[in-house]
Amino acid sequence: MDYNRLHSYEAYQAAYAASVQDLEGFWGAIAENFTWRQKWDKVLEWNFEEPKVAWFIGGKLNITENCIDRHLATRGNKLAMIWEANDPKERYMRWTYRELSEKVNQFANVLKNNGAKKGDRIAIYMPMIPELMVSVLACARIGAIHSVVFAGFSAHSLADRINDAACSMVLTSDGMNRGAKQIPVKRVVDEALEMCTSVEKVIVVDRVGWAVNMQEGRDVYLHEELPKASKVCEAEIMDAEDPLFILYTSGSTGKPKGVVHTCGGYMVYADYSFRNVFQYNESDVHWCTADVGWVTGHSYIVYGPLLAGATTLMFEGVPTYPDPGRFWQVCDKFGVTHFYTAPTAIRSLMQAGEDHVLSYSLDSLKVLGSVGEPINEEAWHWYHTHVGKNRCPLVDTWWQTETGGIMISTLAGITPMKPAHATLPLPGVQPVLLDGEGNEIEGNDVEGYLCIKAPWPSILRTTYGDHERCRINYFAAYKGYYFTGDGARRDEHGFYRIIGRVDDVINVSGHRFGTAEIENAINQNENVIESAVVGYPHDIKGQGIYAYIICKEMPENPIQVRAEIVETVVAEIGKIAKPDVIQFVSGLPKTRSGKIMRRILRKIAEGDVSNLGDTSTLLDPLIVDEIKDGAIALMA
Ligand code: PRX
């Protein structure tokens, strides 16, 4: 049986059974479909204790030969990428696979000419411009490890990520367009680099035409370097287990960690999951609206589609500019067949009214996707009815930065879908639900901690520079399992529904933040003594950020102090981590051992103050009443 592309529910079931029976045989057969410079000696070695996972051991490859070179003979003139600018009046851009090949090779030579080599870490801090895709691929071409940092992060966040991986180069732009605004980018890099010592070169793309500061000897413009670089660059031969990229993500501890993915396994899984979940066909146009700064952009704007030889669309702008019909206008303009976005975008467009979506035909659409957070039933139905016209399958895809690719999802039009349910695992993925003691919960109609029992090719290999952290975060809670940090339900049909995080992580508009990470940022403000952050349900963002803050003195002008604290968070992390609600308190509910009772704070933030459970074990039970009254006053 060929399980490389599944065309029916029966084929899915057969593939699933085969993958459980013979994991190595299953993935070995899938991996045959790529260009390897040298075949692997062994498919898999693993244990979840250290943890140590290695796929396609001894295999040699370069992922860009699989994304680009191998398509040139048959798809050289096919569009690889369509780029739509922020401003609908600006010309869009289209590159064939041949053109993309030239761009990537030439950029790779620019990197080399500026001293980059295999194994170097290169930070990419760029808006959603075509050069971002080229940068990522150019790094992969020469075997440098890319670390893309979302261009909405602050200078501090960027500096932390550059320092953690000791990056030797930064690829960036002068500024960026975002809706009606133009935002500095290079200036943020300059500020970050004052806190870094490892960076020797900065390559700057001229996007908005600003005269930015260029430090002699360090900073160069891409357009001045390109003419010096050849359009042919031999691909570096990589070991299957060599790192391909680092991507920082937040966990329950204060500091974001660098999730490491490797060349061989990530390639196999990005391609396999892309083709099967979306049921991609040769003439389709795939649009994933994520930013390449997040894992969704890595796997389903860049690598997955290009590995499959697809046409991938990249959009510089925002869903509401110049109006909330922009997504649908772009779908009609380019005949988009596959549209993949986040529930938060759907909810905000839903709120803007149906007229915007009803003004466009959306005839070309075939498949819709959702990712990043639980999609509520109302948003699911709106998306399915008004965007998909009740004829497009909607895939709710559950996965994580650490998993590299989609793990639990409907296969479009092939396996069943159910609103607000991710449904079934992909073949090769073995989810289980565990109880608090780490026992597997059997049967259906049950709820528990979502864990994965066996490795898949794109499982994270480590957290950069700190393997013990990787073990503690993901493999220590339940011995022998990868722990996702999510709670889930398996319904009566065996379909999974993701409930949400069970650790101290909040998911704001599909972006992950550790509560400790936001607290650390808030505590940098000079007024603040201590803070506690929790998530609460938010109509558009999924979860909002609620901060309880103890100041040195109760602020006389709370509006001003709130604004100052928000400014601090923006400077420490970025605008995306702004607290939605700040409540000043004189104390926090703590146990006698000093642990903050977040359960109580979460309930108050949710507006549920009726039953706060047993508060008698608190050091100061009276504080709960003060916080409760304060919250009610704040919401009034
Ligand atoms: O809580 C889950 C939620 O997002 C987390 C992963 O976040 P991140 O690594 O930033 O990756 C986001 C894009 C893959 C998960 O632990 N999540 C992701 N997809 C879904 C989801 N929650 C519910 N349903 C989903 N489809």
Side-chain angles (χ1 to χ4, degrees):
M1 274 290 256
D2 179 10
Y3 298 127
N4 192 39
R5 172 64 188 264
L6 305 167
H7 292 286
S8 67
Y9 194 16
E10 293 69 38
Y12 161 79
Q13 285 166 324
Y16 196 84
S19 74
V20 174
Q21 209 183 19
D22 178 12
L23 194 60
E24 290 187 41
F26 178 81
W27 286 114
I30 306 281
E32 295 283 354
N33 297 291
F34 295 84
T35 299
W36 296 86
R37 287 295 189 105
Q38 185 181 304
K39 198 177 161 175
W40 57 91
D41 308 313
K42 193 156 187 275
V43 174
L44 171 67
E45 267 175 21
W46 70 287
N47 73 70
F48 277 176
E49 278 74 50
E50 294 174 64
K52 180 183 184 314
V53 181
W55 283 92
F56 312 113
I57 299 148
K60 305 268 183 216
L61 77 155
N62 186 292
I63 195 167
T64 67
E65 290 195 323
N66 285 276
C67 287
I68 302 173
D69 304 49
R70 70 170 167 154
H71 301 312
L72 292 179
T74 52
R75 301 188 177 104
N77 295 324
K78 177 178 173 174
L79 287 184
M81 190 215 58
I82 301 172
W83 176 78
E84 168 77 358
N86 175 66
D87 180 349
K89 293 195 280 302
E90 185 176 338
R91 246 192 89 69
Y92 57 87
M93 214 179 268
R94 294 192 295 189
W95 289 343
T96 63
Y97 270 91
R98 187 156 294 115
E99 286 165 327
L100 179 66
S101 170
E102 285 182 3
K103 306 268 179 201
V104 169
N105 278 266
Q106 200 174 17
F107 202 128
N109 281 324
V110 169
L111 296 179
K112 278 187 170 175
N113 293 348
N114 281 280
K117 54 185 191 316
K118 179 176 179 174
D120 286 358
R121 277 80 55 216
I122 298 186
I124 305 179
Y125 186 77
M126 242 188 236
M128 283 284 285
I129 52 179
E131 289 81 357
L132 172 54
M133 179 180 292
V134 177
S135 300
V136 164
L137 294 165
C139 288
R141 186 99 183 151
I142 66 164
I145 303 166
H146 56 77
S147 167
V148 183
V149 180
F150 173 61
F153 277 118
S154 68
H156 270 116
S157 293
L158 174 61
D160 283 350
R161 286 156 174 78
I162 290 172
N163 287 334
D164 188 70
C167 294
S168 55
M169 214 182 250
V170 180
L171 314 179
T172 189
S173 70
D174 49 2
M176 69 163 134
N177 301 309
R178 206 167 160 72
K181 286 186 253 165
Q182 286 201 314
I183 301 170
V185 177
K186 175 63 164 53
R187 208 202 297 154
V188 181
V189 172
D190 288 340
E191 204 185 316
L193 292 188
E194 282 173 22
M195 299 172 251
C196 304
T197 52
S198 57
V199 174
E200 282 157 21
K201 273 282 153 80
V202 178
I203 300 179
V204 184
V205 178
D206 174 11
R207 170 61 186 124
V208 293
W210 288 343
V212 292
N213 163 56
M214 295 291 281
Q215 186 175 308
E216 182 75 41
R218 186 193 72 182
D219 304 351
V220 294
Y221 274 117
L222 180 66
H223 63 261
E224 288 174 5
E225 294 300 296
L226 283 173
K228 300 181 225 161
S230 143
K231 289 182 182 164
V232 181
C233 177
E234 199 47 42
E236 190 74 36
I237 307 303
M238 306 297 285
D239 195 276
E241 279 298 315
D242 279 337
L244 172 65
F245 66 84
I246 305 171
L247 188 55
Y248 286 83
T249 190
S250 298
S252 41
T253 46
K255 215 172 104 214
K257 43 193 183 296
V259 167
V260 176
H261 284 289
T262 56
C263 297
Y266 176 81
M267 169 179 80
V268 170
Y269 200 80
D271 174 70
Y272 179 78
S273 56
F274 172 76
R275 286 182 299 100
N276 283 290
V277 169
F278 297 104
Q279 290 289 307
Y280 161 76
N281 286 311
E282 190 65 44
S283 55
D284 292 340
V285 176
H286 175 83
W287 181 15
C288 164
T289 70
D291 193 290
V292 174
W294 311 111
V295 75
T296 308
H298 281 60
S299 299
Y300 301 110
I301 295 177
V302 183
Y303 288 113
L306 295 178
L307 285 163
T311 301
T312 181
L313 195 148
M314 222 178 144
F315 174 47
E316 183 185 29
V318 295
T320 48
Y321 180 78
D323 63 56
R326 186 68 191 281
F327 271 179
W328 323 127
Q329 179 246 334
V330 174
C331 284
D332 276 4
K333 181 171 176 183
F334 298 107
V336 170
T337 57
H338 290 62
F339 181 75
Y340 189 32
T341 197
T344 190
I346 296 299
R347 287 191 295 262
S348 78
L349 297 178
M350 198 168 112
Q351 211 181 48
E354 270 138 44
D355 290 355
H356 295 287
V357 61
L358 297 178
S359 321
Y360 297 93
S361 88
L362 301 178
D363 278 349
S364 56
L365 286 176
K366 294 202 289 197
V367 175
L368 304 178
S370 171
V371 60
E373 44 174 323
I375 180 164
N376 48 309
E377 292 205 20
E378 195 190 353
W380 195 100
H381 285 293
W382 188 89
Y383 192 20
H384 189 250
T385 307
H386 296 297
V387 182
K389 315 291 181 201
N390 291 316
R391 62 176 171 77
C392 300
L394 197 175
V395 296
D396 178 0
T397 64
W398 174 84
W399 59 297
Q400 310 179 295
T401 305
E402 295 85 346
T403 71
I406 298 167
M407 301 285 280
I408 304 182
S409 170
T410 293
L411 309 184
I414 300 292
T415 60
M417 58 179 186
K418 180 175 176 185
H421 286 67
T423 71
L424 297 170
L426 267 67
V429 174
Q430 299 179 25
V432 290
L433 297 178
L434 300 189
D435 66 18
E437 271 78 57
N439 305 307
E440 283 188 29
I441 306 172
E442 307 282 341
N444 289 337
D445 212 1
V446 291
E447 214 171 287
Y449 298 113
L450 181 63
C451 292
I452 319 280
K453 207 173 168 161
W456 60 100
S458 60
I459 184 174
L460 87 160
R461 300 300 194 266
T462 190
T463 45
Y464 192 83
D466 193 349
H467 193 63
E468 179 60 4
R469 198 160 169 218
C470 172
R471 188 185 72 77
I472 290 171
N473 262 288
Y474 306 106
F475 300 92
Y478 302 105
K479 203 169 166 327
Y481 297 90
Y482 165 81
F483 176 43
T484 64
D486 282 327
R489 196 182 154 68
R490 198 164 48 224
D491 77 359
E492 64 279 17
H493 309 291
F495 297 163
Y496 285 89
R497 175 190 193 131
I498 310 303
I499 298 165
R501 303 289 305 194
V502 294
D503 53 7
D504 288 326
V505 167
I506 31 190
N507 190 331
V508 186
S509 302
H511 303 145
R512 269 163 75 173
F513 297 102
T515 51
E517 183 186 0
I518 303 175
E519 287 159 9
N520 288 347
I522 291 173
N523 298 350
Q524 297 298 312
N525 185 283
E526 55 178 21
N527 296 294
V528 176
I529 295 184
E530 197 183 357
S531 60
V533 164
V534 295
Y536 72 101
H538 188 286
D539 286 349
I540 305 278
K541 301 179 180 183
Q543 281 191 296
I545 300 171
Y546 196 121
Y548 298 90
I549 298 179
I550 308 175
C551 284
K552 288 177 186 145
E553 286 161 20
M554 246 329 163
E556 275 173 27
N557 183 350
I559 294 175
Q560 189 195 328
V561 179
R562 268 194 201 103
E564 285 173 21
I565 292 173
V566 167
E567 266 317 296
T568 307
V569 175
V570 170
E572 291 293 319
I573 305 177
K575 280 206 179 85
I576 48 175
K578 266 187 192 173
D580 296 278
V581 182
I582 289 178
Q583 182 181 347
F584 296 112
V585 294
S586 69
L588 291 166
K590 287 186 180 171
T591 60
R592 290 193 178 88
S593 60
K595 191 171 173 301
I596 298 173
M597 296 277 278
R598 283 173 196 278
R599 178 180 55 77
I600 294 174
L601 295 177
R602 271 195 291 267
K603 282 208 131 188
I604 296 175
E606 284 165 16
D608 174 9
V609 292
S610 56
N611 179 15
L612 295 177
D614 182 12
T615 54
S616 63
T617 55
L618 293 180
L619 197 58
D620 174 12
L622 292 180
I623 196 70
V624 176
D625 288 326
E626 182 211 297
I627 298 177
K628 219 160 60 175
D629 294 343
I632 292 166
L634 205 60
M635 285 167 201

